[in-house]
Amino acid sequence: MIKWIAAILGYFFFRLPGALIGFFLGSLLDSQGRGGGRTVFSDFTRQQVSPSDFELHLLSLCSIVIKADGQVSQRELDYVRQYFLSTYGKDKANAIFRTFNEVVKKREISAQNICSFLNQRTRYEVRLQLLHFLFGIAQADGSASPAEIAKLSEIAGYLRIGSHDFESIKAMFVKSVDNAYKILEIERSATDEEVKRAYRTMAKKYHPDRVITKDEAIKKGAEEKFKEVQKAYEHIQRERGL
């Protein structure tokens, strides 16, 4: 509607050239008006550098975890930067960081909205590795704080990750007496046969081949988690003399 009004006014003042200019400017205003509910990622297409949505969503979740305890740790920032550099290469990683700083960082980032986007586009196994990666960030400065763990629990809920899977991943970073059993999602009282069965189940669930994604960071997370499952099983084997 605006474009036609602008075209008429333009024609009235400047004849045909004015009508064309008015129609063009009015079309821009019309398109902005239809934007409605904008998200933190709605301006990506306007950037000269536009990495994939997944990578920017991943980096956004990283920033949420880093700021969870009210202080920005340089170790955690370095962990994220080094991970992106080693995974994507210098040029692509810098492009991701640049777009993040230009667009996403200037807007309020909603963990719930990001996770909703990811839920619709990723398999459960991929989201498990994503949570594993986020725990690695929280642990980068030596320990995951209670505030960070609470935020990770919140994110896990948004990602629809079950409580047993959350506790299993948490046990890989927050150490306790029964860590190996928690990783395999069993109790210390489990029988030897239950231990073996739990290992087979977990090994199948977290095998890197089940993580179907083009994102190298998540693939590496799958490999790391699979190794943790193996280490937990080997620890119990030694403990029980299996």
Side-chain angles (χ1 to χ4, degrees), residues 80-99:
V80 173
R81 174 166 287 278
Q82 288 304 314
Y83 208 101
F84 271 74
L85 287 172
S86 63
T87 301
Y88 300 111
K90 183 178 179 180
D91 291 340
K92 186 174 181 180
N94 285 338
I96 297 169
F97 292 134
R98 183 164 56 250
T99 303

Side-chain angles (χ1 to χ4, degrees), residues 173-189:
F173 297 92
V174 181
K175 303 304 179 183
S176 68
V177 176
D178 295 332
N179 262 37
Y181 292 91
K182 289 181 179 178
I183 291 173
L184 294 186
E185 299 183 3
I186 54 177
E187 300 293 333
R188 178 175 284 275
S189 58

